Amino acid sequence: MDANAEKFTATQFTSEGQRALIEQSVAREILLTIFFKMAKELVTLLCSPKDMKYLVVGFLVSEGLLKSKDAN
């Protein structure tokens, strides 16, 4: 099983009104808080625990807080 997913029992309904219990994989999510310049809490995101570094850099660039991935 993927470490970024959890399995849960779910009820599946058909268009005919029938239902069945199935096991379903659901993406794991965590809270990630980004602190800008180590002082001010900027934002808290709900995200997958995979590749968080890329998410943070992309977020900061899209908000105009970083000009490039090499900025200090």
Side-chain angles (χ1 to χ4, degrees), residues 29-30 33 66:
E29 293 182 322
I30 63 166
T33 301
L66 288 179

Side-chain angles (χ1 to χ4, degrees), residues 32-68:
L32 172 69
T33 301
I34 299 173
F35 291 85
F36 189 64
K37 295 192 178 185
M38 299 301 295
K40 182 181 175 197
E41 183 177 322
L42 182 62
V43 67
T44 298
L45 305 169
L46 188 60
C47 65
S48 166
K50 185 176 180 184
D51 298 326
M52 291 183 291
K53 177 180 173 180
Y54 298 111
L55 173 63
V56 171
V57 171
F59 179 85
L60 293 176
V61 169
S62 70
E63 292 296 310
L65 299 169
L66 288 179
K67 300 296 180 208
S68 74

